[in-house]
Each structure stands twice: as structure tokens, then as C-alpha cells.
Amino acid sequence: MTEKRNLPKSFFWGNSVSSMQTEGAWNEDGKGLSVYDVRPATENTTDWHVAIDEYHRYDEDLDLMKDMNMNMYRIQISWSRVCPDGDGEFNEKGIEFYDRLVNAMLKRGIEPMICLYHFDMPLNLAKKYNGFMSRHVVDAFVRFGKKMIDHFSDRVKYWIVFNEHNLYFQDEVFNISGYENGDKTLDDMYTIFHHTMVSHIRLANYIHENYDDVKIGGMLAYQQIYPETSKPEDIWAAKQVQEFLNFNIYDADTGKGYSPEVLKYAENHNIKMDITDEDREIMKKAKADFLAFSYYSSWVLSSDKIPEGEAPNRYLNEGGVDAKYVKTNDWGWAVDPLGFRNAITTMYNHYRIPVFPIENGIGLKETWDGEHMIEDDERIAYHRDHIKAMKDSIFLDGAEVLGYLGWGLIDIPSSHADIEKRYGAVFVNRTNHDLKDLKRVPKKSFYWFQKVLKDNGDEL
């Protein structure tokens, strides 16, 4: 007897991006500068001025998504586009752009999801206040978030606040929080992380207090960590990473507060987190309607390589070792579909809240000869195997999953500004230093997605 594995008709299939990796138009229609706008190109990276010019070409890109049978598009609102200084007057032309974009999605039957912060702090707030180190910036961000929620909640029913929130509890925090000055201490890291968490919870509470039909979830970069051996020290170190970088974030998102293990570590090491009594009361009210995450790869951890006295949220800095049992992509990232199933099932078992993978994909080096279709069979295999693993988590493990969003399924510069690391099912004709014509060219995976999504994932 053939097993029935039909996903619900309400299942979301779609694409996720950030504003700076798609929009371009960095100095148009009153947009203020973000920290990304002033980062120069290097030998192996581009600047952020054009990206894929979706500001002017969104209709074309949405038509491609509709042709691929997507029914959700997760975008980010650029804080400095709608509020140029971050804490001053709002820019109506910036808001009008997102009105047009959201309305164009809905016209095509594509459900919008909005992310409010994806690393691009307004430059003014970074220079003047050191980004999320400052309570002033927390208040400015919440003001911006409430304005966007009030404006778009009639049309946008799915929201996240911070992209990959657990990156703010790792050293990447100093690149993504508007941090301009300081010694990159654990005190600073823990303080910024807490400030962002309070920001998230204030906005989540605002939605739940004011909008019955709007859903908001926490979002992290899922850390699927395997111990290198069965040695107890390896197993314990991997467990600590899971606790600090996964459960700690979702615990706070769902009203449980921070992990006792994390709080005890901070207390024992005299780490300042700037937690106030008011923050504690706010955090008690936290609620998540879903748990979102990105997943690209799993990681292997060796306790022997972790420096003595290292904080558990920094174990991966030195403790990561090569994966032995799975293949890797062009950048050495492990391709591990079972890890994806593990992530979904673990989180659903733990929290009993719908799970939503909203970034998944594989970066590959690809060129186009101007004539023939790019045969990206490796990408097709990656997505097929991960969708199968997701369906296993649903139909074998009992997880509730809202949808599946790929990352950058129309090529965009990577998070480190490298357009040559391509995730897309659609090729965008540009290089790091030559914009060419930005032509959109469907790859072989485009047509694979088209069929899979048309059939709601029934046939892979």
C-alpha cells in the first residue's frame, strides 16, 4: 500500500530575501544610508548599490515567482528606506514602494511575509549610538516596527522581527547590529543580544495585543551540531551549543525566559546583559505563533579544539571540524537533509508550535554562456532531498509545518556580497564587478520547482 503524503492545500511554498540583497536603489526616493550602503566592493565582492535592482524590476521577479507556482514571498523592509535617519521622520516614498510591492504580490496570489531587520542598521544610528548597544536604538526600532505593523497588517499576516536571531549571540553580532565601536567583548555581545530580544518581544506583544489575525514568529539560524565522537565531552559540548544557540532563543520567544543554563553562565562569569525588571515583565508575556528558522548545513564539533574557558555560544569559532559522512558544497558546507528533519522534529517536539523553515538552499558557482540553460542538477537534488526530509518530519514524526521557503531563488549577492555564490533557480546576469544587463534566466531547477509546487509537493 502506498503511503499518503499529501500536504495541506494551505501549505506555503516560496522565496526569502533581504532588502539590501535585492532592491538596489540605494540613494533613490529619499532613502537614507544604511551600514551596507557604504561598504565598498573588494576583489571578490560587490558593493550594495544595485544588488539585482528589484526596486525597479519587482513585477518581473514576481511574475517569475508566480510562474514557479510560489504562494509566499518573504521580504524585508529596509529601515533606512522608510525612516532615513532611523529615529526621525518617516519617508512616505519609501513606504509607498513597499505598498506597491505588497499589493503586487497579493494581485498574483502570493502571500507576503515581512521581516523587520536583516542586518542593515541605518548608518546614522550606527555612528551616533553604536547600533543595538543603545537603548535609544531599541526604542527607535520598536517605533519603526510598530509603524510598519500598523500600516501593513491589513494585508500582511505573517511577520518576523530579526533574521537569524541567534547570530546576535555569536561573533557575527558585531557585523550585523550597527556596532561601530568597542572591543567585541562578551558583555557587549550579551547586551546586544538582550536588546534585540527585548525589541522582538515588544513588537510580538504589540501584535498580539492589537491584531487578532496577524501571526508573528521567532526566527533563528538553526544550529544542527553533531559531536565528533561518542566521547562524553564531545556530546556535552554539542548539547551546550544547542542550548545556547537554539533553545535559548526559542525559550525567550515563547515566554519561558532565557535558558537557566545561559543565565547561570552569565552570572558565574560576571557578564553584564542589561536586563531590567521591566524587561523581565515584558518577556513573561512573550508568545510565538510559529517558530521559523533557516537551515543550510549541519556542523561537527570537537571538544578538544575548543579553547579552555570559551563561552559555549562561541564554541563553533574554533571547535568545528570537517564533516565525514556527508558531501559538501563549493564552500565546504555539509549537505545534510536528515539534519533538516532533525531540526523540524526536535523543535516541534519541544515546543508544540507550528514550525516554518523559511530559508533553505545551496550556494553554487555558476556561469551562463548567454545561450544554453544552466543545468543545476545539484541544486535540484539538494531541494528534493530536503523537501523529502521535511515531509518525513511531518508524516513520520508528526511535526506541524506551515511551509517551505527557499533562499534567494532568484540569484542575489550572498550575505558577504558575493554574487558568484548563487542560490537561485533563476540566474541574474551580472558579476561582482560587471552589472551587465541583469537579465533573469530560468535554470533547470526553475522548471523542476514549477512542477513540484504545482503539485503541492506530492511528486518529487
Side-chain angles (χ1 to χ4, degrees):
M1 182 175 175
T2 303
E3 177 194 3
K4 291 284 188 183
R5 291 166 62 99
N6 303 116
L7 294 165
K9 297 300 182 186
S10 59
F11 198 81
F12 290 118
W13 298 99
N15 186 21
S16 287
V17 297
S18 73
S19 61
M20 72 279 189
Q21 290 169 275
T22 52
E23 290 173 6
W26 68 288
N27 60 354
E28 294 186 35
D29 293 334
K31 182 185 180 302
L33 293 175
S34 80
V35 292
Y36 276 77
D37 294 325
V38 297
R39 293 179 181 176
T42 69
E43 182 181 354
N44 297 309
T45 62
T46 184
D47 62 31
W48 297 96
H49 291 174
V50 176
I52 63 168
D53 194 33
E54 191 166 277
Y55 191 84
H56 301 108
R57 304 177 71 143
Y58 64 85
D59 276 317
E60 180 181 0
D61 288 346
L62 291 175
D63 283 344
L64 285 164
M65 292 179 214
K66 181 175 174 56
D67 287 348
M68 217 190 304
N69 295 306
M70 291 183 185
N71 60 6
M72 179 173 271
Y73 187 30
R74 174 200 142 198
I75 62 166
Q76 178 222 342
I77 292 178
S78 167
W79 186 357
S80 60
R81 188 177 296 285
V82 301
C83 187
D85 290 333
D87 58 357
E89 294 296 317
F90 283 94
N91 173 28
E92 288 306 317
K93 286 188 176 180
I95 296 173
E96 287 168 6
F97 164 70
Y98 294 108
D99 275 327
R100 295 192 301 272
L101 181 57
V102 165
N103 292 341
M105 288 187 224
L106 293 171
K107 180 181 176 182
R108 292 166 172 83
I110 297 173
E111 184 93 16
M113 175 188 278
I114 285 179
C115 172
L116 288 168
Y117 189 82
H118 197 126
F119 313 156
D120 57 340
M121 175 69 61
L123 185 64
N124 173 61
L125 298 183
K127 294 292 187 185
K128 191 180 291 187
Y129 298 102
N130 212 20
F132 277 111
M133 277 294 292
S134 164
R135 285 275 180 173
H136 174 86
V137 171
V138 170
D139 290 339
F141 177 72
V142 171
R143 168 180 173 262
F144 149 71
K146 287 180 177 179
K147 172 80 169 180
M148 295 302 101
I149 291 163
D150 289 342
H151 186 86
F152 289 102
S153 60
D154 62 326
R155 290 158 288 163
V156 180
K157 304 303 181 183
Y158 291 86
W159 294 74
I160 57 172
V161 181
F162 289 96
N163 180 71
E164 299 183 325
H165 206 153
N166 53 346
L167 296 188
Y168 297 83
F169 212 39
Q170 301 173 70
D171 285 274
E172 185 66 14
V173 65
F174 301 116
N175 300 319
I176 62 177
S177 65
Y179 185 91
E180 297 276 323
N181 300 295
D183 297 325
K184 302 182 179 180
T185 62
L186 274 178
D187 279 8
D188 287 356
M189 178 189 292
Y190 278 59
T191 296
I192 295 169
F193 168 68
H194 174 64
H195 285 173
T196 59
M197 183 56 72
V198 169
S199 301
H200 165 90
I201 292 172
R202 284 173 64 181
L203 290 170
N205 291 353
Y206 182 76
I207 283 178
H208 290 131
E209 289 162 4
N210 292 281
Y211 298 99
D212 292 337
D213 62 341
V214 176
K215 298 183 184 301
I216 185 166
M219 194 268 186
L220 53 76
Y222 192 87
Q223 303 291 323
Q224 178 60 59
I225 308 297
Y226 301 123
E228 183 184 31
T229 71
S230 59
K231 187 167 66 174
E233 289 80 1
D234 284 353
I235 294 169
W236 177 251
K239 185 225 69 77
Q240 285 182 290
V241 173
Q242 168 94 314
E243 186 67 24
F244 275 65
L245 297 184
N246 293 335
F247 290 133
N248 182 52
I249 285 78
Y250 282 156
D251 282 356
D253 288 336
T254 55
K256 300 175 187 292
Y258 294 130
S259 159
E261 189 176 339
V262 171
L263 290 176
K264 195 65 178 177
Y265 182 86
E267 177 189 336
N268 288 342
H269 293 82
N270 299 310
I271 296 170
K272 299 177 180 66
M273 291 184 69
D274 190 34
I275 302 176
T276 68
D277 289 341
E278 183 182 5
D279 294 342
R280 292 185 181 94
E281 291 305 309
I282 289 168
M283 292 179 72
K284 288 177 184 176
K285 301 175 184 176
K287 175 188 170 187
D289 300 302
F290 58 88
L291 299 176
F293 66 94
S294 65
Y295 179 88
Y296 298 95
S297 178
S298 58
W299 312 95
V300 181
L301 188 66
S302 168
S303 60
D304 292 337
K305 294 183 177 294
I306 299 169
E308 186 175 353
E310 184 65 284
N313 48 305
R314 280 178 157 165
Y315 280 178
L316 288 172
N317 291 3
E318 303 291 338
V321 295
D322 291 340
K324 296 178 182 177
Y325 303 108
V326 294
K327 63 182 180 182
T328 57
N329 73 354
D330 293 338
W331 279 265
W333 290 22
V335 176
D336 180 12
L338 186 55
F340 189 44
R341 175 182 174 182
N342 193 330
I344 294 169
T345 299
T346 297
M347 288 302 139
Y348 188 73
N349 284 349
H350 201 81
Y351 294 97
R352 312 294 172 89
I353 294 171
V355 174
F356 201 164
I358 60 172
E359 291 183 24
N360 181 236
I362 184 168
L364 299 172
K365 295 175 182 177
E366 295 168 323
T367 57
W368 181 49
D369 64 8
E371 181 181 357
H372 299 94
M373 185 169 64
I374 295 171
E375 305 268 349
D376 57 338
D377 293 310
E378 188 173 354
R379 178 170 294 106
I380 292 170
Y382 179 97
H383 284 283
R384 175 188 288 120
D385 290 346
H386 282 74
I387 293 170
K388 283 181 178 177
M390 175 189 68
K391 292 180 74 172
D392 285 345
S393 73
I394 297 167
F395 296 108
L396 301 182
D397 306 336
E400 183 180 352
V401 180
L402 296 180
Y404 173 88
L405 309 185
W407 171 254
L409 291 178
I410 297 172
D411 282 348
I412 56 178
S414 75
S415 59
H416 293 96
D418 183 8
I419 189 67
E420 306 303 348
K421 186 179 185 182
R422 297 178 183 269
Y423 284 85
V426 176
F427 185 87
V428 174
N429 192 33
R430 64 157 294 184
T431 68
N432 281 328
H433 304 118
D434 184 357
L435 293 175
K436 298 186 178 181
D437 58 5
L438 296 171
K439 182 177 181 179
R440 276 63 165 157
V441 184
K443 306 173 189 176
K444 185 177 180 180
S445 61
F446 176 92
Y447 301 101
W448 179 82
F449 271 115
Q450 191 176 57
K451 183 181 186 308
V452 168
L453 273 53
K454 181 182 180 181
D455 295 336
N456 199 30
D458 291 344
E459 297 293 334
L460 297 171

